[in-house]
């Protein structure tokens, strides 16, 4: 095996900042640290050192340095860490000095973590958890990511795999030593018992309604409706920044704009859609197509309509621009937002009841369509229910009137949608696929014609174990052999 190169990188954010952390990992890390600071500090103890350019001898900075000899380091290799002053010139001079040392090179993206994985410091699910932790935008996401980093799914999957290997060892023993008098006849039954127990546990983890994936990605809310209804204005108010271009001309929002929000600790992704309408312009057509796809994949649609034009809102909905909840297949729930109430004259406004909802009055449970709310108090008076919106709001995106009701309701909806998701084991499609593959193999193993045939049974168990091994990134067959000869002491 070739000696791995020694890598280095700025591990903290780009300067200027109070402190910059430069990490070095690999067989030459200690040597590099000695060349830069003249000494190797006591392992895992911070030491103050003067950092010099080894080529010129010129001092670069005064730094706190740390030394983690292999294997007790983050990557499992020798690791040195420099805590420098975070000025750009300091960082640049240090990185340049390191680059000039033989056998050292700048790390590629994710390379430290990759080495940690290769050295068995992290399994794949923990690597993913680490990536998610760095990207986490809300408390819910942070807790979920930390759970994965600490092995929520990885440890579970590994223990499932160990039990599968036990089952497989029983079946393999039956195959290999079937002629021997001292091998117990019924090794298959306990193997099948293990398989049955695993089916129960893995099926339970998979049938979580994709809650983990939902939390990771956030509640997706599509803002749709006819052009000029005020979608972009509403989005900006929701995002509290100028995320979408607001313009008085129809069709300016050509593509899907995505804004990530933290609503009371819950992640919400808002999608603003190109004014959905029939159009001939190719660029816009593409935008409209994408808008439709994404609106239909959203968890919730806010259908924005001009409150002064009730006919328009119905036409737009009837056109099928966005599936309304009465569509046959599972379309996302749609809330009707009557916008621009500031333009409606006072005598007409009394007809348009603006909902006022106390904090505890309404509980939006995404699974039951808002059963606790007296719908009549929220709908347009005399509204025929041909727009089958599950929830309706009247507001002004420009003045902000009525906006807090929507925001509060959205936050509660997000919470009801995402609460409890942090404990879900499956946080990615990859996890789900691996577990489903495992389940399928285990179920085949249970079927009568397979269960009776040792070699077929062994093969299904092997497929199941491999799927779990791919989940954690730990596929090897050696340990199957180890278990056979350790646990069975057949004496061969
Ligand atoms: P979109 O095409 O649906 O994204 O609509 P925009 O957000 O671009 O808004 C179209 C026009 O309506 C702009 O001139 C906005 O300033 C205006 N507008 C949006 N919301 C309101 C509102 O609540 N009240 C009033 N008076 N004007 C609004």
């Amino acid at each position: 095996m070739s000696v791995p190169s020694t890598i280095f990188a700025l591990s903290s954010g780009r300067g200027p900042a109070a402190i910059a952390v430069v990490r070095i990992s690999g067989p030459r890390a200690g040597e590099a640290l000695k060349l830069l600071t003249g000494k190797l500090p006591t392992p895992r103890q911070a030491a103050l050192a003067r950092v010099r350019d080894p080529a010129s001898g010129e001092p670069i900075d005064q730094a706190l340095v740390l030394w983690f000899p292999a294997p007790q380091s983050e990557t499992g290799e020798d690791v040195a860490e420099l805590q420098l002053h975070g000025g750009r010139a300091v960082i640049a001079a240090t990185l340049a000095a390191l680059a000039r040392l033989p056998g050292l090179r700048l790390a590629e993206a994710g390379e430290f973590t990759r080495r940690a994985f290769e050295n068995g410091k992290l399994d794949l699910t923990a690597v993913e958890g680490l990536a998610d932790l760095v990207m986490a935008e809300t408390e819910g996401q942070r807790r979920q990511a930390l759970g994965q980093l600490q092995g929520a799914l990885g440890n579970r999957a590994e223990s499932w795999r160990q039990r599968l290997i036990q089952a497989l060892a029983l079946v393999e023993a039956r195959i290999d030593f079937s002629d021997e008098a001292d091998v117990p006849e019924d090794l298959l039954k306990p193997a099948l018992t293990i398989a049955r127990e695993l089916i129960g546990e893995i099926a339970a983890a998979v049938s979580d309604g994709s809650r983990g994936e939902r939390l990771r990605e956030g509640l997706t809310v599509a803002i749709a409706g006819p052009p000029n209804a005020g979608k972009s204005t509403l989005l900006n108010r929701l995002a509290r920044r100028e995320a979408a271009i607001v313009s008085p001309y129809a069709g300016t929002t050509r593509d899907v704009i995505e804004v990530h929000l933290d609503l009371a600790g819950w992640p919400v992704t808002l999608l603003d859609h190109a004014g959905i309408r029939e159009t001939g312009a190719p660029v816009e057509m593409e935008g409209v197509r994408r808008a439709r796809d994404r609106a239909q994949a959203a968890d919730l649609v806010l259908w924005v309509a001009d409150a002064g034009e009730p006919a328009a809102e119905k036409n737009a909905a009837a056109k099928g621009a966005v599936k309304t909840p009465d569509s046959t297949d599972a379309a996302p729930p749609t809330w009707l937002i009557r916008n621009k109430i500031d333009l409606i004259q006072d005598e007409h406004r009394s007809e348009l009841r603006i909902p006022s909802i106390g904090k505890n009055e309404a509980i939006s449970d995404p699974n039951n369509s808002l059963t606790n709310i007296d719908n009549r108090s929220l709908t347009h008076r005399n509204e025929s229910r041909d727009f089958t919106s599950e929830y309706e709001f009247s507001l002004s995106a420009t003045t902000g009137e009525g906006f807090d009701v929507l925001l509060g309701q959205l936050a509660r909806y997000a919470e009801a949608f995402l609460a409890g998701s942090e404990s879900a084991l499956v946080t990615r499609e990859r996890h789900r696929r691996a577990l489903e593959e495992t389940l399928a193999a285990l179920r085949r193993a249970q079927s009568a014609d397979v269960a009776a045939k040792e070699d077929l049974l062994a093969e299904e168990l092997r497929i199941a174990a491999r799927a779990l091994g791919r989940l954690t990134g730990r596929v090897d067959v050696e340990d199957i052999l180890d278990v056979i000869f350790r646990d069975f002491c057949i004496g061969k």
Side-chain angles (χ1 to χ4, degrees), residues 223-237 244-253 272-276 304 306 338-344 395-401:
I223 302 180
N228 263 337
K231 297 181 295 297
S232 308
T233 314
L234 181 68
L235 178 90
N236 285 342
R237 186 164 278 280
I245 308 148
V246 182
S247 109
Y249 308 105
T252 45
T253 314
D272 177 27
H273 291 85
I276 297 179
V304 184
D306 190 328
R338 298 173 195 284
N339 189 31
K340 307 195 188 183
I341 54 164
D342 56 302
L343 294 182
I344 294 176
L395 53 83
S396 165
T398 45
T399 69
E401 188 181 354

Side-chain angles (χ1 to χ4, degrees), residues 27-43:
R28 287 174 183 251
E31 189 185 315
L33 188 61
K34 256 197 287 189
L35 282 167
L36 257 70
T37 65
K39 62 181 175 190
L40 214 50
T42 313

Side-chain angles (χ1 to χ4, degrees), residues 60-73:
I60 297 173
D61 192 15
Q62 182 118 307
L64 214 53
V65 297
L66 287 150
W67 167 234
F68 304 93
Q72 286 184 67
S73 72

Side-chain angles (χ1 to χ4, degrees), residues 138-151:
T138 66
E139 277 297 277
Q141 289 172 323
R142 180 188 62 73
R143 283 193 286 267
Q144 179 190 54
L146 186 64
Q148 291 298 42
L149 175 60
Q150 292 175 336

Side-chain angles (χ1 to χ4, degrees), residues 280-348:
V283 179
E284 203 158 282
M285 252 161 42
E286 176 58 18
V288 169
R289 193 189 60 75
R290 276 193 234 171
R292 285 187 183 170
D293 288 353
R294 299 211 56 184
Q296 278 166 26
D299 301 314
L300 176 69
V301 175
L302 301 184
W303 183 270
V304 184
D306 190 328
E309 294 175 47
E313 90 202 10
K314 281 176 200 161
N315 286 344
K319 259 187 175 174
V322 170
K323 283 182 195 168
T324 50
D326 57 347
S327 304
T328 43
D329 49 335
T334 302
W335 292 359
L336 173 61
I337 314 294
R338 298 173 195 284
N339 189 31
K340 307 195 188 183
I341 54 164
D342 56 302
L343 294 182
I344 294 176
Q345 282 170 4
D346 278 349
E347 61 263 36
H348 294 121

